[in-house]
Amino acid sequence: MAQYVAELDGVFVALADPTRRGVVRRLGRGPTSVGDLAREFPMTLPSFMKHVRTLETSGLIHTVKVGRVRTCVLNRERLALLDDWLADQRAVWEGRTDRLATLLAEEES
Amino acid sequence: MAQYVAELDGVFVALADPTRRGVVRRLGRGPTSVGDLAREFPMTLPSFMKHVRTLETSGLIHTVKVGRVRTCVLNRERLALLDDWLADQRAVWEGRTDRLATLLAEEES
DNA sequence: GCAATACTTAGCCTCATGGCACAGTATGTG
DNA sequence: CACATACTGTGCCATGAGGCTAAGTATTGC
């Protein structure tokens, strides 16, 4: 669960930036190269690459380099962490204390 | 929609901090005073108050002061913004371009 | 009214974030 | 081989987040 907290934290932090949410949205349409992605955002490539790395570290995307081109792919399963968190939150306020709730109750420990 | 982006951004930023997620979780069990809340987190009251204000600004909670006690209340509807965002994201990768998707497509503009 | 309680305000400090420019490396292309 | 392309690495900078202490204000209880 400490693991879970760290992962959840990474996902929320990654999605807290509009540029990175934009990338996630764009990748929803399919894998895209770093260059093609970067062209859609008003910043330099090195700056953009930081966002890509943040997203990759969070597990929201993964990347593959072929030749000199790095392609980014959305990792949809990762977004399920948000569903889990929301479900847990609802479990709390509905007073439920089922297995999931118990598991996640240790979130901040 | 610029409005929507700002609000969504506030919510994601607010939830990007473990302390604030902890507060949201705690408030899921019911309204609580700032003092009672603060006692559950390892930091000073002024520091904790910053988190409360961030949460309030994001719209995730609202607070009422009665006498010298300020009570925090979770605003559940606000979490629906996350559901919306997730739904939109799914709409994108499912290739759907329905009304919601169209509306939210302008997110980063 | 005096003291305790419950914030609130102000100011300071440190580190992380997000941006930049510039130079370097690796890979395709003619 | 030369040159363009597509990142990649380095270092710098400004801002803001998140923490602290110390002092102030407003209520409540005795």
Side-chain angles (χ1 to χ4, degrees), chain B residues 16-33:
Chain B
D17 183 280
T19 295
R20 290 191 295 259
R21 282 201 305 282
V23 171
V24 168
R25 159 178 278 277
R26 179 65 184 73
L27 291 179
R29 306 218 301 270
T32 313
S33 74

Side-chain angles (χ1 to χ4, degrees), chain B residues 68-81:
Chain B
R68 62 188 167 179
V69 176
R70 181 174 295 280
T71 299
C72 304
V73 185
L74 183 60
N75 182 12
R76 300 179 185 183
E77 297 79 44
R78 202 63 169 179
L79 284 172
L81 278 182

Side-chain angles (χ1 to χ4, degrees), chain A residues 4 83-108, chain B residues 21-32 37 40 74 76 79:
Chain A
Y4 173 82
D83 288 309
D84 294 347
W85 184 82
L86 281 166
D88 172 50
Q89 187 58 41
R90 276 162 187 140
V92 170
W93 75 49
E94 281 164 10
R96 286 197 281 113
T97 313
D98 54 19
R99 210 164 51 241
L100 177 64
T102 305
L103 174 69
L104 303 185
E106 307 306 321
E107 192 200 319
E108 308 307 337
Chain B
R21 282 201 305 282
V23 171
V24 168
R25 159 178 278 277
R26 179 65 184 73
L27 291 179
R29 306 218 301 270
T32 313
L37 277 174
E40 300 185 17
L74 183 60
R76 300 179 185 183
L79 284 172

Side-chain angles (χ1 to χ4, degrees), chain A residues 9 21 25 28 83 88 90, chain B residues 9 21 25 83 88 90:
Chain A
D9 208 69
R21 282 201 305 281
R25 159 177 277 276
D83 288 309
D88 172 50
R90 276 162 187 140
Chain B
D9 208 68
R21 282 201 305 282
R25 159 178 278 277
D83 289 309
D88 172 51
R90 274 159 188 141

Side-chain angles (χ1 to χ4, degrees), chain A:
Chain A
M1 20 253 82
Q3 178 68 11
Y4 173 82
V5 185
E7 295 187 350
L8 189 63
D9 208 69
V11 169
F12 270 118
V13 167
L15 294 176
D17 183 280
T19 295
R20 291 192 292 261
R21 282 201 305 281
V23 172
V24 168
R25 159 177 277 276
R26 178 67 184 71
L27 289 180
R29 306 218 300 271
T32 313
S33 74
V34 166
D36 285 351
L37 278 174
R39 238 163 271 126
E40 300 185 18
F41 298 89
M43 67 184 66
T44 60
L45 229 212
S47 302
F48 184 76
M49 276 301 296
K50 280 194 188 178
H51 290 300
V52 170
R53 268 179 235 118
T54 300
L55 283 167
E56 192 167 20
T57 302
S58 77
L60 282 168
I61 71 170
H62 66 97
T63 72
V64 195
K65 187 156 189 179
V66 177
R68 62 188 165 176
V69 177
R70 180 173 296 279
T71 299
C72 304
V73 185
L74 183 60
N75 182 11
R76 300 177 185 185
E77 296 79 44
R78 202 64 169 178
L79 285 173
L81 278 182
L82 289 191
D83 288 309
D84 294 347
W85 184 82
L86 281 166
D88 172 50
Q89 187 58 41
R90 276 162 187 140
V92 170
W93 75 49
E94 281 164 10
R96 286 197 281 113
T97 313
D98 54 19
R99 210 164 51 241
L100 177 64
T102 305
L103 174 69
L104 303 185
E106 307 306 321
E107 192 200 319
E108 308 307 337
S109 65

